[in-house]
Amino acid sequence: MRAKVSNKEGRELVIAVECGYFAQNSILMKESLLLALISCFSVVHAQITTTPNSLNFSTVSVGEVDSIQVTFTNNYNEPVTLSDFVFKTFYGDAVYYTKVNSLELSSGGSEALYVYFEPEHNIEHSSQLIAHTNYRGAVVVDIQGDGQLDQNYYS
């Protein structure tokens, strides 16, 4: 059995599995093929990485603002522009935002930006930062923050 897959760069990988023994047990053959695919692609690294990998804000009172710095690193051999930073909204309001419209990442370079959290309500605000690139797709960063109403509300 052969499987042909392509990665993001369009490189093709052909995996052949000897079907003698496996033909008798199709589940084992499928598991072996899956394991071979995972092994082959586990060495593929993201071309734009972030530090930290996800943003976890502490509890923030409604009406206050907190921020976390995230650094984007370009591992491509070409410059990349990140732009159109998109966040999920809550009750129609953007509780996460950035004050930067775009970042220019040189080949091998890094740039940082601050993501701000201004909660809308006393709920958990789970979201993602989606940064579109001019080169290949988008970069996604998971975000988590908890909103809290004024202490008088809980009295």
Side-chain angles (χ1 to χ4, degrees):
M1 180 168 131
R2 297 188 118 171
K4 186 181 197 181
V5 293
S6 298
N7 64 9
K8 290 181 183 179
E9 286 77 30
R11 296 184 186 130
E12 291 185 348
L13 174 67
V14 177
I15 298 176
V17 177
E18 186 64 42
C19 292
Y21 171 75
F22 295 115
Q24 297 173 6
N25 188 340
S26 63
I27 293 174
L28 183 58
M29 184 168 65
K30 289 177 185 176
E31 289 176 356
S32 297
L33 181 58
L34 180 61
L35 181 59
L37 286 171
I38 290 170
S39 297
C40 291
F41 282 98
S42 65
V43 296
V44 175
H45 299 286
Q47 296 299 310
I48 296 179
T49 56
T50 61
T51 305
N53 295 330
S54 63
L55 305 180
N56 295 302
F57 286 88
S58 60
T59 300
V60 177
S61 294
V62 172
E64 294 184 8
V65 179
D66 194 6
S67 64
I68 296 178
Q69 182 178 350
V70 59
T71 301
F72 294 87
T73 301
N74 177 11
N75 297 303
Y76 285 114
N77 291 325
E78 299 183 33
V80 174
T81 301
L82 300 178
S83 61
D84 191 24
F85 300 108
V86 179
F87 300 89
K88 177 182 173 185
T89 61
F90 293 84
Y91 303 112
D93 294 322
V95 299
Y96 296 106
Y97 59 92
T98 184
K99 297 178 181 178
V100 175
N101 293 324
S102 65
L103 290 176
E104 301 291 329
L105 302 175
S106 61
S107 174
S110 297
E111 291 291 331
L113 68 87
Y114 281 92
V115 173
Y116 297 89
F117 174 45
E118 187 172 358
E120 176 66 19
H121 208 317
N122 63 333
I123 60 172
E124 180 180 285
H125 296 80
S126 297
S127 187
Q128 292 179 321
L129 160 61
I130 302 171
H132 296 264
T133 74
N134 68 327
Y135 191 57
R136 296 187 179 177
V139 179
V140 179
V141 180
D142 291 327
I143 306 174
Q144 173 69 41
D146 290 317
Q148 174 179 295
L149 293 174
D150 186 278
Q151 290 299 328
N152 294 333
Y153 176 84
Y154 300 102
S155 301

